[in-house]
Amino acid sequence: TCAFAGQKKVLAAYEEAVKCGYSGARAGRLHTPHGVFDTPMFMPVGTQATVKAVSPRELKEMGAQIILSNTYHLYLRPGTELVAEAGGLHRFMDWDGGILTDSGGFQVFSLGPLRKITEEGAAFRSHIDGSTQFLSPEIAIKAQMNLGADIIMAFDECIPYPAEYQYAKLSTERTTRWAERSQKAHTRSGQALFAIVQGGMYQDLRRVSANDLVSLDFPGYGIGGLSVGEPKPVMYEMLEQTVPLLPENKPRYLMGVGTPDCLVEAVRYGIDMFDCVFPTRVARNGTAMTKSGRLVVKNAAYAKDFLPIDENCGCYACQNFSRAYIRHLLKADEIFGLRLTTIHNLYFLLDFTKKMRQAILEDRFLSFREEFLAQYCK
Ligand SMILES: CNc1nc2cc3nc[nH]c(=O)c3cc2[nH]1
Ligand SMILES: [Zn+2]
C-alpha cells in the first residue's frame, strides 16, 4: 500500500519559520507498488493516458516519478473496462512509474455541461458526444480500480469559486459522505485511496472537512477546491488552516497547482505532491518557464537568438537547440517545436521540486524560497 515514510522536518528553519508564519516544509519518500518516490514532487498531467507531446521514455529521462491521468476522460473514451482488458493503465500507456488518477468530480463540473448533483452522484452530458452520463462514488472507484493506478482519489465535488457559505457547507458534508462510500467501494489491495479535503474558502469548513476525513483514516489526503480562480493569498490561508490538521506521516497533495511561486509557498505549508496542466498547456502556445518568469520563445525578439531557452537547464531542448530554432518550428507549426517547449517546461518543474527537496534536506529551504521568489516574477 502507499506508505509515507522517512520524512525529515526542517527543524532549525522550522522554529525560525514558525515566528514568521507556519512552515512545515518536509522531504519525504512515497512508497507505492511501482516504486518509492521522492517528495516534494510534481506530477506531469497525462489526461487521456498520454502526457501530451512527450513519450514515456522522455518522461523517465527527465525524472518524472508519478504521472496523473483523468478517470472522467478515460471513462468516456475508450472506457475503463477496455483499459482493464488491455492490462491496466501502466501496460496500456507503457509507463512503469507511478500513476495517480483523479476521480472525475472536478472534470464533471469543469467540462461536461452539468445536469444535476444529488446525494447519489452527478448527472452530466458527455463533452464528447453529448450523451447522458452519471458518476457516483461507487462508479468512480470501480472505474479507477479498472484503470489500476497506484493512487486513486475519492469522488468529491470541487466547490465552485465563489460559493455561498451554506452551499459550501452542504457540499462539503456530502463530499465527506461520498468519501466514506468511496472507501467502502474500494476493494483493490495495494492501491491507495486518498480523500479530498473541501470546505470552499471558509476556514471553519476547511477544518471540519479535514478533521472528518482524518477520522476516516485514509493513507493520504488531497486538498481540493483550490486553484479555482481564488486570489493566491486566499489559497495560502486555506492551506494554513488545513495542512496542520492532516497527519504528518501521510502525504498531502495540492490538486491542480501550479506555478513555481505557488509550489514553493505550498511546500512551506507542508504540501508534498502537485499536479498542473500549466507547464504542458503553455508550452503548446510557445511559452517556456524559467526561474525569472515566462519566456515567450515565439516572440520576434528571439528570431536571431542562438542561445538555448535557459543555458543552465539540463533538458534535451536546452542542451541541443536554440531559441531561434524553436521559434522557427513554432511559427512553422512544426510538432517538434511544441515537443521541445513541453520537454523544457516539464523538466523545469521536475528539477524545481528536486531543488526544493535538496534545500529541505540541507536545512536551507527558507533561504531557497526567499532567493527564488526574489528572482521569479509572477
Ligand atoms: C487546476 N485547478 C484544480 N484542479 C483540480 C482538480 C481537483 N480534483 C478533484 N477535486 C478537486 O477539488 C480539484 C480541484 C482542482 N483545482
Ligand atoms: Zn530546458
Side-chain angles (χ1 to χ4, degrees):
T1 54
C2 172
F4 189 69
Q7 75 207 9
K8 175 178 185 294
K9 186 173 295 179
V10 187
L11 287 182
Y14 184 76
E15 306 317 331
E16 167 204 330
V18 165
K19 288 198 256 355
C20 58
Y22 180 82
S23 167
R26 77 261 190 90
R29 300 272 285 157
L30 190 54
H31 295 252
T32 79
H34 278 85
V36 183
F37 302 115
D38 294 338
T39 66
M41 81 160 64
F42 172 73
M43 301 182 284
V45 175
T47 295
Q48 302 189 103
T50 165
V51 177
K52 291 181 173 27
V54 292
S55 70
R57 185 188 305 168
E58 288 165 330
L59 282 169
K60 196 65 79 180
E61 219 174 81
M62 62 175 78
Q65 304 180 88
I66 299 184
I67 63 172
L68 186 134
S69 251
N70 283 117
T71 304
Y72 169 85
H73 295 79
L74 297 171
Y75 175 78
L76 294 178
R77 181 180 56 191
T80 55
E81 286 79 13
L82 183 149
V83 177
E85 278 171 52
L89 203 42
H90 288 85
R91 180 80 296 286
F92 196 46
M93 66 186 292
D94 187 32
W95 173 254
D96 65 358
I99 297 179
L100 182 149
T101 46
D102 195 352
S103 52
F106 179 77
Q107 288 71 31
V108 164
F109 308 126
S110 60
L111 275 175
L114 182 67
R115 288 253 314 282
K116 195 157 59 85
I117 307 177
T118 61
E119 182 64 26
E120 184 52 25
F124 61 98
R125 298 174 67 82
S126 159
H127 73 289
I128 297 172
D129 62 12
S131 58
T132 300
Q133 301 286 342
F134 183 75
L135 274 179
S136 67
E138 292 76 17
I139 295 169
I141 294 301
K142 171 116 182 58
Q144 292 181 88
M145 290 195 283
N146 275 336
L147 294 173
D150 302 285
I151 301 172
I152 69 173
M153 304 307 288
F155 187 69
D156 66 328
E157 178 188 0
C158 174
I159 300 169
Y161 174 77
E164 293 293 320
Y165 181 86
Q166 199 48 23
Y167 183 84
K169 183 171 182 298
L170 293 175
S171 169
T172 298
E173 289 164 353
R174 181 172 53 212
T175 282
T176 299
R177 294 193 295 274
W178 283 358
E180 205 160 3
R181 284 170 51 188
S182 299
Q183 226 169 19
K184 289 195 177 70
H186 185 229
T187 55
R188 180 165 172 161
S189 64
Q191 189 178 53
L193 169 68
F194 283 16
I196 302 177
V197 179
Q198 292 293 343
M201 305 304 159
Y202 299 101
Q203 295 187 10
D204 61 324
L205 297 183
R206 282 278 165 186
R207 289 195 295 272
V208 166
S209 178
N211 287 327
D212 287 352
L213 294 173
V214 168
S215 55
L216 289 172
D217 188 23
F218 285 86
Y221 295 89
I223 298 180
L226 295 177
S227 183
V228 287
E230 77 283 6
K232 289 180 182 179
V234 173
M235 177 168 81
Y236 301 146
E237 191 195 330
M238 292 306 114
L239 291 183
E240 196 157 21
Q241 292 299 320
T242 312
V243 177
L245 300 177
L246 300 176
E248 287 215 353
N249 67 334
K250 294 188 176 174
R252 294 92 170 245
Y253 161 30
L254 179 52
M255 306 185 82
V257 175
T259 49
D261 54 312
C262 293
L263 261 62
V264 79
E265 290 301 54
V267 164
R268 184 165 74 103
Y269 286 113
I271 297 295
D272 308 299
M273 301 163 70
F274 301 90
D275 87 270
C276 188
V277 293
F278 171 81
T280 36
R281 184 169 293 171
V282 297
R284 292 196 295 282
N285 57 44
T287 298
M289 298 169 72
T290 74
K291 56 187 175 311
S292 314
R294 302 179 196 187
L295 187 153
V296 185
V297 71
K298 208 172 176 180
N299 283 351
Y302 304 109
K304 289 192 171 179
D305 186 335
F306 302 115
L307 292 174
I309 288 171
D310 175 350
E311 27 193 11
N312 302 317
C313 177
C315 88
Y316 172 61
C318 294
Q319 292 296 309
N320 300 289
F321 305 98
S322 70
R323 293 165 176 185
Y325 176 68
I326 296 173
R327 176 177 182 275
H328 156 64
L329 294 181
L330 292 169
K331 298 294 278 182
D333 259 344
E334 280 293 344
I335 292 168
F336 190 49
L338 50 89
R339 275 180 33 72
L340 289 172
T341 49
T342 301
I343 286 167
H344 168 78
N345 284 355
L346 286 174
Y347 182 98
F348 173 83
L349 267 187
L350 291 163
D351 184 52
F352 183 61
T353 49
K354 221 179 277 177
K355 286 190 169 87
M356 284 196 284
R357 175 180 169 84
Q358 207 44 46
I360 292 168
L361 292 172
E362 293 168 8
D363 210 349
R364 56 178 175 77
F365 173 71
L366 287 171
S367 54
F368 171 88
R369 171 182 166 273
E370 288 297 315
E371 281 154 39
F372 175 77
L373 290 175
Q375 187 176 14
Y376 183 80
C377 47
K378 306 279 186 286

PDB file of all heavy atoms in Angstrom, residues 316-333:
ATOM      1  N   TYR A 316      16.734  18.249 -22.704  1.00  0.00           N
ATOM      2  CA  TYR A 316      17.084  17.898 -24.098  1.00  0.00           C
ATOM      3  C   TYR A 316      16.966  19.126 -25.003  1.00  0.00           C
ATOM      4  O   TYR A 316      17.823  19.345 -25.872  1.00  0.00           O
ATOM      5  CB  TYR A 316      16.147  16.799 -24.580  1.00  0.00           C
ATOM      6  CG  TYR A 316      16.259  16.458 -26.040  1.00  0.00           C
ATOM      7  CD1 TYR A 316      17.464  15.974 -26.574  1.00  0.00           C
ATOM      8  CD2 TYR A 316      15.181  16.636 -26.906  1.00  0.00           C
ATOM      9  CE1 TYR A 316      17.574  15.664 -27.928  1.00  0.00           C
ATOM     10  CE2 TYR A 316      15.284  16.333 -28.252  1.00  0.00           C
ATOM     11  CZ  TYR A 316      16.474  15.846 -28.770  1.00  0.00           C
ATOM     12  OH  TYR A 316      16.570  15.555 -30.108  1.00  0.00           O
ATOM     13  N   ALA A 317      15.965  19.965 -24.772  1.00  0.00           N
ATOM     14  CA  ALA A 317      15.774  21.154 -25.619  1.00  0.00           C
ATOM     15  C   ALA A 317      16.922  22.135 -25.418  1.00  0.00           C
ATOM     16  O   ALA A 317      17.520  22.624 -26.382  1.00  0.00           O
ATOM     17  CB  ALA A 317      14.429  21.805 -25.297  1.00  0.00           C
ATOM     18  N   CYS A 318      17.265  22.436 -24.150  1.00  0.00           N
ATOM     19  CA  CYS A 318      18.294  23.443 -23.863  1.00  0.00           C
ATOM     20  C   CYS A 318      19.703  22.946 -24.166  1.00  0.00           C
ATOM     21  O   CYS A 318      20.601  23.742 -24.441  1.00  0.00           O
ATOM     22  CB  CYS A 318      18.192  23.888 -22.409  1.00  0.00           C
ATOM     23  SG  CYS A 318      16.658  24.751 -22.076  1.00  0.00           S
ATOM     24  N   GLN A 319      19.889  21.633 -24.137  1.00  0.00           N
ATOM     25  CA  GLN A 319      21.214  21.067 -24.402  1.00  0.00           C
ATOM     26  C   GLN A 319      21.542  21.053 -25.899  1.00  0.00           C
ATOM     27  O   GLN A 319      22.697  20.968 -26.294  1.00  0.00           O
ATOM     28  CB  GLN A 319      21.306  19.634 -23.864  1.00  0.00           C
ATOM     29  CG  GLN A 319      21.262  19.558 -22.338  1.00  0.00           C
ATOM     30  CD  GLN A 319      22.451  20.249 -21.691  1.00  0.00           C
ATOM     31  OE1 GLN A 319      23.592  19.980 -22.050  1.00  0.00           O
ATOM     32  NE2 GLN A 319      22.181  21.183 -20.784  1.00  0.00           N
ATOM     33  N   ASN A 320      20.493  21.093 -26.738  1.00  0.00           N
ATOM     34  CA  ASN A 320      20.738  20.865 -28.173  1.00  0.00           C
ATOM     35  C   ASN A 320      20.184  21.916 -29.129  1.00  0.00           C
ATOM     36  O   ASN A 320      20.570  21.923 -30.301  1.00  0.00           O
ATOM     37  CB  ASN A 320      20.125  19.507 -28.575  1.00  0.00           C
ATOM     38  CG  ASN A 320      20.748  18.368 -27.787  1.00  0.00           C
ATOM     39  OD1 ASN A 320      21.905  18.012 -28.003  1.00  0.00           O
ATOM     40  ND2 ASN A 320      20.005  17.845 -26.802  1.00  0.00           N
ATOM     41  N   PHE A 321      19.289  22.783 -28.673  1.00  0.00           N
ATOM     42  CA  PHE A 321      18.605  23.660 -29.628  1.00  0.00           C
ATOM     43  C   PHE A 321      18.577  25.114 -29.143  1.00  0.00           C
ATOM     44  O   PHE A 321      18.601  25.371 -27.941  1.00  0.00           O
ATOM     45  CB  PHE A 321      17.172  23.165 -29.866  1.00  0.00           C
ATOM     46  CG  PHE A 321      17.106  21.729 -30.310  1.00  0.00           C
ATOM     47  CD1 PHE A 321      16.847  20.731 -29.381  1.00  0.00           C
ATOM     48  CD2 PHE A 321      17.363  21.367 -31.628  1.00  0.00           C
ATOM     49  CE1 PHE A 321      16.812  19.397 -29.763  1.00  0.00           C
ATOM     50  CE2 PHE A 321      17.323  20.034 -32.031  1.00  0.00           C
ATOM     51  CZ  PHE A 321      17.056  19.040 -31.091  1.00  0.00           C
ATOM     52  N   SER A 322      18.476  26.039 -30.087  1.00  0.00           N
ATOM     53  CA  SER A 322      18.457  27.470 -29.750  1.00  0.00           C
ATOM     54  C   SER A 322      17.022  27.995 -29.714  1.00  0.00           C
ATOM     55  O   SER A 322      16.093  27.367 -30.240  1.00  0.00           O
ATOM     56  CB  SER A 322      19.230  28.255 -30.820  1.00  0.00           C
ATOM     57  OG  SER A 322      18.480  28.234 -32.026  1.00  0.00           O
ATOM     58  N   ARG A 323      16.875  29.190 -29.120  1.00  0.00           N
ATOM     59  CA  ARG A 323      15.568  29.852 -29.113  1.00  0.00           C
ATOM     60  C   ARG A 323      15.123  30.111 -30.562  1.00  0.00           C
ATOM     61  O   ARG A 323      13.962  29.929 -30.904  1.00  0.00           O
ATOM     62  CB  ARG A 323      15.676  31.176 -28.353  1.00  0.00           C
ATOM     63  CG  ARG A 323      15.947  30.993 -26.865  1.00  0.00           C
ATOM     64  CD  ARG A 323      16.398  32.289 -26.243  1.00  0.00           C
ATOM     65  NE  ARG A 323      16.577  32.148 -24.788  1.00  0.00           N
ATOM     66  CZ  ARG A 323      16.880  33.146 -23.990  1.00  0.00           C
ATOM     67  NH1 ARG A 323      17.031  34.370 -24.485  1.00  0.00           N
ATOM     68  NH2 ARG A 323      17.038  32.953 -22.691  1.00  0.00           N
ATOM     69  N   ALA A 324      16.071  30.493 -31.391  1.00  0.00           N
ATOM     70  CA  ALA A 324      15.743  30.815 -32.803  1.00  0.00           C
ATOM     71  C   ALA A 324      15.163  29.595 -33.511  1.00  0.00           C
ATOM     72  O   ALA A 324      14.162  29.687 -34.231  1.00  0.00           O
ATOM     73  CB  ALA A 324      16.991  31.304 -33.533  1.00  0.00           C
ATOM     74  N   TYR A 325      15.770  28.438 -33.247  1.00  0.00           N
ATOM     75  CA  TYR A 325      15.296  27.210 -33.901  1.00  0.00           C
ATOM     76  C   TYR A 325      13.910  26.849 -33.395  1.00  0.00           C
ATOM     77  O   TYR A 325      13.000  26.567 -34.176  1.00  0.00           O
ATOM     78  CB  TYR A 325      16.274  26.066 -33.622  1.00  0.00           C
ATOM     79  CG  TYR A 325      15.821  24.730 -34.170  1.00  0.00           C
ATOM     80  CD1 TYR A 325      15.756  24.504 -35.541  1.00  0.00           C
ATOM     81  CD2 TYR A 325      15.440  23.686 -33.303  1.00  0.00           C
ATOM     82  CE1 TYR A 325      15.334  23.285 -36.048  1.00  0.00           C
ATOM     83  CE2 TYR A 325      15.019  22.468 -33.804  1.00  0.00           C
ATOM     84  CZ  TYR A 325      14.962  22.276 -35.169  1.00  0.00           C
ATOM     85  OH  TYR A 325      14.540  21.056 -35.667  1.00  0.00           O
ATOM     86  N   ILE A 326      13.706  26.903 -32.082  1.00  0.00           N
ATOM     87  CA  ILE A 326      12.403  26.533 -31.508  1.00  0.00           C
ATOM     88  C   ILE A 326      11.336  27.519 -31.980  1.00  0.00           C
ATOM     89  O   ILE A 326      10.231  27.138 -32.363  1.00  0.00           O
ATOM     90  CB  ILE A 326      12.479  26.463 -29.965  1.00  0.00           C
ATOM     91  CG1 ILE A 326      13.441  25.341 -29.541  1.00  0.00           C
ATOM     92  CG2 ILE A 326      11.103  26.236 -29.348  1.00  0.00           C
ATOM     93  CD1 ILE A 326      13.733  25.299 -28.040  1.00  0.00           C
ATOM     94  N   ARG A 327      11.712  28.817 -32.020  1.00  0.00           N
ATOM     95  CA  ARG A 327      10.744  29.821 -32.512  1.00  0.00           C
ATOM     96  C   ARG A 327      10.366  29.500 -33.955  1.00  0.00           C
ATOM     97  O   ARG A 327       9.184  29.517 -34.331  1.00  0.00           O
ATOM     98  CB  ARG A 327      11.344  31.226 -32.435  1.00  0.00           C
ATOM     99  CG  ARG A 327      10.420  32.282 -33.014  1.00  0.00           C
ATOM    100  CD  ARG A 327      10.970  33.699 -32.893  1.00  0.00           C
ATOM    101  NE  ARG A 327      10.001  34.647 -33.437  1.00  0.00           N
ATOM    102  CZ  ARG A 327       9.916  34.968 -34.730  1.00  0.00           C
ATOM    103  NH1 ARG A 327      10.739  34.404 -35.613  1.00  0.00           N
ATOM    104  NH2 ARG A 327       9.008  35.819 -35.144  1.00  0.00           N
ATOM    105  N   HIS A 328      11.372  29.169 -34.779  1.00  0.00           N
ATOM    106  CA  HIS A 328      11.112  28.828 -36.200  1.00  0.00           C
ATOM    107  C   HIS A 328      10.106  27.676 -36.281  1.00  0.00           C
ATOM    108  O   HIS A 328       9.108  27.737 -37.016  1.00  0.00           O
ATOM    109  CB  HIS A 328      12.420  28.442 -36.896  1.00  0.00           C
ATOM    110  CG  HIS A 328      12.208  27.567 -38.095  1.00  0.00           C
ATOM    111  ND1 HIS A 328      11.529  28.009 -39.212  1.00  0.00           N
ATOM    112  CD2 HIS A 328      12.514  26.262 -38.315  1.00  0.00           C
ATOM    113  CE1 HIS A 328      11.447  27.012 -40.083  1.00  0.00           C
ATOM    114  NE2 HIS A 328      12.031  25.947 -39.569  1.00  0.00           N
ATOM    115  N   LEU A 329      10.343  26.634 -35.482  1.00  0.00           N
ATOM    116  CA  LEU A 329       9.450  25.454 -35.535  1.00  0.00           C
ATOM    117  C   LEU A 329       8.025  25.852 -35.143  1.00  0.00           C
ATOM    118  O   LEU A 329       7.054  25.462 -35.787  1.00  0.00           O
ATOM    119  CB  LEU A 329       9.959  24.364 -34.592  1.00  0.00           C
ATOM    120  CG  LEU A 329      11.300  23.707 -34.930  1.00  0.00           C
ATOM    121  CD1 LEU A 329      11.617  22.637 -33.882  1.00  0.00           C
ATOM    122  CD2 LEU A 329      11.280  23.103 -36.332  1.00  0.00           C
ATOM    123  N   LEU A 330       7.921  26.654 -34.075  1.00  0.00           N
ATOM    124  CA  LEU A 330       6.587  27.049 -33.600  1.00  0.00           C
ATOM    125  C   LEU A 330       5.880  27.902 -34.655  1.00  0.00           C
ATOM    126  O   LEU A 330       4.696  27.703 -34.942  1.00  0.00           O
ATOM    127  CB  LEU A 330       6.702  27.819 -32.285  1.00  0.00           C
ATOM    128  CG  LEU A 330       7.186  26.993 -31.081  1.00  0.00           C
ATOM    129  CD1 LEU A 330       7.515  27.901 -29.902  1.00  0.00           C
ATOM    130  CD2 LEU A 330       6.156  25.944 -30.672  1.00  0.00           C
ATOM    131  N   LYS A 331       6.611  28.817 -35.270  1.00  0.00           N
ATOM    132  CA  LYS A 331       5.996  29.657 -36.304  1.00  0.00           C
ATOM    133  C   LYS A 331       5.583  28.820 -37.513  1.00  0.00           C
ATOM    134  O   LYS A 331       4.613  29.138 -38.197  1.00  0.00           O
ATOM    135  CB  LYS A 331       6.994  30.735 -36.777  1.00  0.00           C
ATOM    136  CG  LYS A 331       7.441  31.726 -35.709  1.00  0.00           C
ATOM    137  CD  LYS A 331       6.316  32.603 -35.223  1.00  0.00           C
ATOM    138  CE  LYS A 331       6.054  33.783 -36.140  1.00  0.00           C
ATOM    139  NZ  LYS A 331       4.973  34.648 -35.580  1.00  0.00           N
ATOM    140  N   ALA A 332       6.335  27.746 -37.734  1.00  0.00           N
ATOM    141  CA  ALA A 332       6.037  26.892 -38.911  1.00  0.00           C
ATOM    142  C   ALA A 332       5.047  25.786 -38.552  1.00  0.00           C
ATOM    143  O   ALA A 332       4.816  24.858 -39.328  1.00  0.00           O
ATOM    144  CB  ALA A 332       7.333  26.280 -39.428  1.00  0.00           C
ATOM    145  N   ASP A 333       4.497  25.900 -37.314  1.00  0.00           N
ATOM    146  CA  ASP A 333       3.548  24.872 -36.865  1.00  0.00           C
ATOM    147  C   ASP A 333       4.142  23.464 -36.923  1.00  0.00           C
ATOM    148  O   ASP A 333       3.439  22.493 -37.224  1.00  0.00           O
ATOM    149  CB  ASP A 333       2.281  24.913 -37.751  1.00  0.00           C
ATOM    150  CG  ASP A 333       1.164  25.660 -36.985  1.00  0.00           C
ATOM    151  OD1 ASP A 333       1.339  25.811 -35.758  1.00  0.00           O
ATOM    152  OD2 ASP A 333       0.168  26.061 -37.601  1.00  0.00           O
TER     153      ASP A 333
END
